[in-house]
Amino acid sequence: AAQGAFLQEQLPLKVFVTTPTAVAAYSPSSPAITVTGRQALTAVFSRPVIALGSDWGSKELPASLVPFTLSCGIPGRLRWVTTNIARFDPTVEWPTDLDCTFNWNKELQTFDGAPLVLDGLSPSVRLVTQPLSISITSVSSEAANNATDSQWSATTGLPDDQLPEVPPDANITLSFSYPVDLSMLAKSLKVAGPGSAGRRVTLSPCTTVAPPPYWPLVFTANGLQGAAAAGVSSADSLQLNSTCAVVKIGPGLAAGASAVLRLPAGARYSSIAGPVVLDTDVQVSASVLLRGDRVWLHTGTGWSHATCRRCI
């Protein structure tokens, strides 16, 4: 190695190509590179880094043979698929809200001692993932169904109504674009907006049964409080990752009020995803059943609501 590797000057160790290709073209002024799904990170080098026949199997690579590292702790496997191609495969889909750094190993050498020459490549590359998105899948209300012969719908209203409607007893099923840790979510999800004063969110796991069963759970500054459901503790029921959850606002929203369910910026909702970058809100509004300028009419085929100027 002191004499230099074979043809080291003529054939230096360089990065030929990467996937995503933007990694090799990245500069400090470039926008962050977005990775999605189970997208692999691959680097193809100009010379063999490991000797022919080398095989570490499932063992962790020696630090001297790690071609690049990630500042975020996403589960995955880094391996040499050939003597000059290294590949990182995440074992899960790239978690949401990550903002991490891909770093080249500037001490990397070929098996015969030729050092890595970055030759204009940025030593660090910023990688990001999509933000977590939250949507309302359904709203169920026993009181609203009883008042309308089960014809009520949270998404049906007049043009000036803010939907979906959330009656006081509503169970709101939320859907998430990436699995969330329900115990972490329960500590972070808030009620915000003009109609939120004095209100809090309770959370339970969702099921495929409609309406979902509801287990009361309230997180307070002193820890967990709340009732257990059918012999299952509230805490145990949330020790899972899921792409949905059932929430309830208590006390229910006042007549004509609106609010948002908010996952605030900086909140953690998963052990492997990043913190929320911006406030993530879902709009909810009080049911029109509570408003004095709405009446429910039976048309002969079903119930609908209409506006009245003087309800008697």
Side-chain angles (χ1 to χ4, degrees):
Q3 300 298 321
F6 177 70
L7 294 180
Q8 176 177 320
E9 296 299 325
Q10 295 85 351
L11 297 173
L13 176 62
K14 294 184 178 182
V15 178
F16 261 171
V17 67
T18 62
T19 58
T21 56
V23 170
Y26 185 85
S27 71
S29 60
S30 301
I33 300 169
T34 300
V35 287
T36 60
R38 292 205 179 192
Q39 184 174 7
L41 303 177
T42 305
V44 180
F45 295 89
S46 60
R47 295 177 61 126
V49 175
I50 63 173
L52 187 65
S54 299
D55 183 11
W56 282 269
S58 59
K59 297 179 182 178
E60 187 173 339
L61 290 174
S64 60
L65 293 180
V66 173
F68 53 80
T69 58
L70 297 171
S71 65
C72 46
I74 176 173
R77 183 188 177 199
L78 177 62
R79 60 196 173 98
W80 288 95
V81 294
T82 70
T83 58
N84 69 320
I85 300 176
R87 176 181 172 116
F88 172 78
D89 289 284
T91 54
V92 296
E93 292 192 357
W94 283 92
T96 45
D97 288 303
L98 287 183
D99 189 339
C100 61
T101 305
F102 170 109
N103 296 299
W104 290 109
N105 178 5
K106 293 181 285 187
E107 304 301 319
L108 187 68
Q109 295 183 359
T110 63
F111 73 96
D112 57 351
L116 176 64
V117 178
L118 289 178
D119 194 27
L121 265 67
S122 176
S124 299
V125 178
R126 185 182 173 209
L127 302 180
V128 296
T129 58
Q130 297 290 339
L132 181 74
S133 63
I134 306 175
S135 59
I136 294 179
T137 301
S138 64
V139 180
S140 61
S141 167
E142 183 178 357
N145 283 337
N146 290 341
T148 62
D149 290 344
S150 298
Q151 299 300 307
W152 172 81
S153 170
T155 57
T156 301
L158 295 175
D160 61 338
D161 286 333
Q162 293 184 344
L163 302 175
E165 297 174 356
V166 178
D169 70 330
N171 286 330
I172 309 164
T173 300
L174 299 180
S175 177
F176 307 94
S177 60
Y178 195 83
V180 299
D181 182 320
L182 296 186
S183 63
M184 297 176 71
L185 179 71
K187 297 176 183 178
S188 302
L189 194 64
K190 312 293 182 185
V191 187
S196 65
R199 288 167 174 81
R200 59 186 179 181
V201 171
T202 55
L203 184 145
S204 67
C206 63
T207 72
T208 56
V209 180
Y214 170 68
W215 294 278
L217 177 67
V218 178
F219 280 85
T220 67
N222 296 324
L224 287 172
Q225 294 181 352
V232 178
S233 73
S234 297
D236 287 345
S237 73
L238 293 189
Q239 296 303 313
L240 55 90
N241 293 306
S242 178
T243 55
C244 65
V246 178
V247 301
K248 191 179 186 77
I249 299 174
L253 297 178
S258 63
V260 294
L261 295 172
R262 172 170 293 169
L263 196 57
R268 299 304 299 257
Y269 56 88
S270 169
S271 60
I272 60 174
V276 178
V277 177
L278 301 173
D279 288 348
T280 302
D281 295 344
V282 177
Q283 178 77 38
V284 292
S285 300
S287 172
V288 297
L289 290 169
L290 300 177
R291 293 175 53 178
D293 63 341
R294 294 288 190 271
V295 293
W296 280 85
L297 304 175
H298 199 285
T299 63
T301 58
W303 290 90
S304 63
H305 44 66
T307 303
C308 63
R309 297 301 180 188
R310 182 177 298 170
C311 298
I312 56 174

